Amino acid sequence: MAKVLDTVIKSDRIYIDDKLIDGYIGIKDGKIVYLGQEGPGAANKEVDATNYLVLPGLVDPHVHLREPGNSHRETFLTGTLAAANGGATTIIEHPLASPPPYNLEILFNRYKAAEGEIVVDIAFMGAAGEYNLKDIESFGKSGHIVGFKTFLHEAPAGRELEFNGLTMCNDGVVYAGIQELAKSGLIWLLHAENNDMIQYNIKEFIARNDFSPINHAKSRPPITETETVAKILLLTEETNLPVLFCHISNPEAVELIKKAKQQGRKVYVETCPHYLCFTEELLSQHGAYAKCNPPLRSEKVRKALWQYIDDGTIDVIGSDHAPYSVEEKEQGNIFNACAGLPAIEFRFPLMFTKVKEGKLSLHRFVELLSRNPAKIFDLYPNKGSLSIGADADIIIVDSEKKYKLTIDAMQSKSRRSAKLFENVEVIGEIVSTIVRGNFVKENGSVLVDKKGTGLILKPLRNY
Ligand SMILES: [Zn+2]
């Protein structure tokens, strides 16, 4: 080959077309230009990854990076360094900034905050709420966002700036919103929990002065999630608006989505490593540090959720990285402590451990953590695959390494709130993370000097 490549990676286990190949990846100008068993010739950088596993870079479909506003929780820099640490080369950013991006002007302000900071690639979602019903169609067709996100409740007291524009607080608005969303051509993501039922339950616990942390789970039982999934499936039926149900935590809700899929509906389901690996008992142990919405579930529910990983119904596993400071976790009682886990760095090791334990095939792992999210957000095959012409987004993995997760090894600004993960035993470590040919983590070290090398992505389709 006449032209000198930028980088060649050699390994005896490169994941190409669902097979592990002994061969080489050649990279030029950020793209994969060679895949094969013969050496592709000279390169400026030659990486011998023999004995390591080489996989497509992970695509995390559910990440909150906060900025602008609330940069004490996370910034575009710290959040994307955390992504690089956890092997995510692309993240889908969910709109929980101040204000949430419910029009182009606010979105472009987020671009400004991200540019020059990010170290992995980011695709943004728009917020869809009662503030911007009439703008949803044109915002969606602008080509700048890959989907819309909505919460189905009023803005929590004191957090109006963060939530206004992102919430549809009653069914009238939801139904009107669905008609607008269906015209946008984009997928709708939502947080599916019945807020009326939950608020009723919380008031009952407060009236009884019962602030045991487990009551966070008891106040949001599986029926509160299943009810909302059922309702949204019904309300979106006539428009066939594509819907991705975020962070689904219980099998009854997934069963409803499975049936809708069987009827040909464009509905997708995400779950998270914490619903597959942890249970609600951890609320008693860690209090608000184990608080997320929906809550961790019982062992029975956790186990039953796995059958939908096995049968192919669950489409994606997202981290739902939702960083909060220690102060925000410690404030008041279990009901007013902030809900969310700084989880982006642990999505890889928690799920790869299941591969090593024989619970998850490598094929399903790649599909759930990389290929499917890239497809759903219209970034595939540029992202989510090792193929000629794709972006050279690659992770190099030590698939045998056994270790305990530790807060001290994290990049997230909210690492001190990650107590739930501390000392969890895992197998598999990210050695290097490569974004468009650029090493942002190398030989175990996250490279802070790569600040600003990430790109803001657009959906591949042109309107
Ligand atoms: Zn979220």
Side-chain angles (χ1 to χ4, degrees), residues 419-431:
K419 296 183 184 183
L420 181 67
F421 302 98
E422 183 79 348
N423 287 325
V424 172
E425 291 185 11
V426 293
I427 312 170
E429 191 170 57
I430 303 283
V431 176

Side-chain angles (χ1 to χ4, degrees), residues 310-414:
D310 300 341
D311 78 0
T313 305
I314 292 175
D315 296 285
V316 296
I317 294 178
S319 68
D320 193 9
H321 179 70
Y324 288 99
S325 67
V326 166
E327 292 70 30
E328 289 166 323
K329 281 290 184 186
E330 302 262 347
Q331 72 191 5
N333 58 52
I334 190 66
F335 297 118
N336 49 29
C338 289
L341 306 170
I344 194 169
E345 287 162 89
F346 303 132
R347 177 174 172 253
F348 171 82
L350 287 171
M351 296 319 303
F352 194 78
T353 301
K354 300 299 178 189
V355 174
K356 297 303 286 183
E357 289 172 349
K359 192 100 181 79
L360 188 64
S361 68
L362 185 61
H363 166 77
R364 245 338 234 153
F365 175 90
V366 171
E367 193 171 71
L368 288 159
L369 279 80
S370 179
R371 186 188 305 157
N372 283 353
K375 283 184 175 171
I376 287 172
F377 294 102
D378 201 12
L379 303 169
Y380 184 86
N382 228 11
K383 305 296 187 186
S385 79
L386 296 182
S387 57
I388 301 288
D391 284 352
D393 293 353
I394 299 161
I395 51 174
I396 300 175
V397 171
D398 181 345
S399 60
E400 305 305 317
K401 174 94 179 268
K402 290 185 179 172
Y403 60 106
K404 288 181 178 175
L405 299 179
T406 167
I407 283 177
D408 290 333
M410 290 175 71
Q411 296 289 325
S412 170
K413 209 166 183 178
S414 290

Side-chain angles (χ1 to χ4, degrees), residues 7-33:
T7 305
V8 166
I9 299 168
K10 169 186 179 346
S11 170
D12 48 348
R13 286 184 297 151
I14 304 175
Y15 189 86
I16 303 168
D17 292 335
D18 296 333
K19 288 189 281 295
L20 289 174
I21 307 291
D22 184 348
Y24 300 83
I25 302 176
I27 301 168
K28 180 82 180 167
D29 299 329
K31 295 279 185 186
I32 296 174
V33 295

Side-chain angles (χ1 to χ4, degrees), residues 68-70 73 95-102 106 127 129-131 151 153-169 324 338:
N70 295 308
R73 295 175 185 159
L96 200 52
S98 296
Y102 56 82
I106 303 170
E130 48 210 294
Y131 267 41
F151 286 81
H153 55 71
E154 284 180 39
R159 295 180 67 184
E160 288 80 3
L161 189 60
E162 263 180 281
F163 279 90
N164 281 343
L166 181 56
T167 63
M168 297 184 185
C169 72
Y324 288 99
C338 289

Side-chain angles (χ1 to χ4, degrees), residues 55-73:
L55 299 175
L58 305 183
V59 179
D60 193 332
H62 197 152
V63 178
H64 300 273
L65 291 186
R66 314 304 194 189
E67 269 194 306
N70 295 308
S71 55
H72 65 287
R73 295 175 185 159

Side-chain angles (χ1 to χ4, degrees), residues 20-210:
L20 289 174
I21 307 291
D22 184 348
Y24 300 83
I25 302 176
I27 301 168
K28 180 82 180 167
D29 299 329
K31 295 279 185 186
I32 296 174
V33 295
Y34 177 88
L35 289 172
Q37 287 173 307
E38 308 296 322
N44 292 324
K45 180 176 175 121
E46 293 181 4
V47 178
D48 185 356
T50 306
N51 295 325
Y52 289 140
L53 182 60
V54 177
L55 299 175
L58 305 183
V59 179
D60 193 332
H62 197 152
V63 178
H64 300 273
L65 291 186
R66 314 304 194 189
E67 269 194 306
N70 295 308
S71 55
H72 65 287
R73 295 175 185 159
E74 200 75 282
T75 65
F76 279 110
L77 177 60
T78 60
T80 55
L81 288 170
N85 200 23
T89 50
T90 295
I91 57 177
I92 310 298
E93 215 284 339
H94 285 222
L96 200 52
S98 296
Y102 56 82
N103 61 37
L104 266 184
E105 190 190 342
I106 303 170
L107 181 73
F108 289 157
N109 268 330
R110 296 207 77 196
Y111 279 19
K112 264 189 227 151
E115 279 161 358
E117 296 290 317
I118 51 179
V119 300
V120 305
D121 291 352
I122 292 193
F124 283 93
M125 300 224 309
E130 48 210 294
Y131 267 41
N132 67 335
L133 286 190
K134 291 291 162 241
D135 299 328
I136 285 172
E137 181 181 356
S138 59
F139 189 24
K141 287 180 173 170
S142 70
H144 287 281
I145 52 175
V146 294
F148 282 104
K149 175 81 180 272
T150 300
F151 286 81
L152 303 177
H153 55 71
E154 284 180 39
R159 295 180 67 184
E160 288 80 3
L161 189 60
E162 263 180 281
F163 279 90
N164 281 343
L166 181 56
T167 63
M168 297 184 185
C169 72
N170 65 57
D171 293 347
V173 181
V174 169
Y175 189 68
I178 285 167
Q179 311 315 308
E180 298 306 314
L181 286 156
K183 296 180 207 160
S184 76
L186 294 181
I187 191 167
W188 187 37
L189 279 69
L190 83 161
H191 184 123
E193 283 190 300
N194 182 311
N195 194 51
D196 293 344
M197 294 165 84
I198 291 165
Q199 292 311 321
Y200 176 88
N201 294 338
I202 290 175
K203 274 187 198 133
E204 291 286 300
F205 283 116
I206 291 174
R208 294 207 297 270
N209 218 15
D210 186 353

